[in-house]
């Protein structure tokens, strides 16, 4: 089983990143372009290491900082119970 959005969570691309809506609770989250890139990469089945590499390839960011950013985004999405599936 790969990483995916939890049932009842819908994703919409916006001009500023991604919006996530939990249809069960009515809560929504907005992800900026960097967090959106992390989420898209993880949902595509890539590892967190590959998500960090995607950040460094697109933005002028230190690899260590990119790895920390990926961990933070992943952790926040998990804490908000927006994701299900195996850990990438």
């Amino acid at each position: 089983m790969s990483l995916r959005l939890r049932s009842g969570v819908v994703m919409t691309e916006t001009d500023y990143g991604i919006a996530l809506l939990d249809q069960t609770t009515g809560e929504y989250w907005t992800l900026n372009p960097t967090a959106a890139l992390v989420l898209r990469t993880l949902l595509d089945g890539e590892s967190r290491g590959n998500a960090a590499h995607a950040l460094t390839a697109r933005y002028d960011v230190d690899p260590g900082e990119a790895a920390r950013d990926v961990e933070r985004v992943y952790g926040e999405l998990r804490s908000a119970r927006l994701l299900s599936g195996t850990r990438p």
Side-chain angles (χ1 to χ4, degrees):
M1 178 183 352
S2 63
L3 189 71
R4 63 185 185 283
L5 293 176
R6 180 179 52 77
S7 177
V9 176
V10 293
M11 178 173 83
T12 301
E13 299 281 337
T14 70
D15 291 339
Y16 306 104
I18 287 177
L20 299 172
L21 171 66
D22 183 337
Q23 295 176 317
T24 306
T25 66
E27 293 179 281
Y28 72 95
W29 293 261
T30 56
L31 280 62
N32 66 23
T34 56
L37 177 58
V38 170
L39 179 59
R40 278 189 220 100
T41 303
L42 296 176
L43 292 177
D44 284 345
E46 299 292 333
S47 69
R48 287 178 286 164
N50 287 348
H53 178 73
L55 286 177
T56 61
R58 180 167 293 168
Y59 301 102
D60 183 23
V61 61
D62 173 79
E65 184 177 343
R68 288 187 295 276
D69 288 347
V70 169
E71 292 302 321
R72 183 181 50 79
V73 169
Y74 176 78
E76 289 178 7
L77 293 169
R78 278 284 189 200
S79 291
R81 298 182 335 117
L82 297 170
L83 301 175
S84 65
T86 57
R87 184 177 179 152

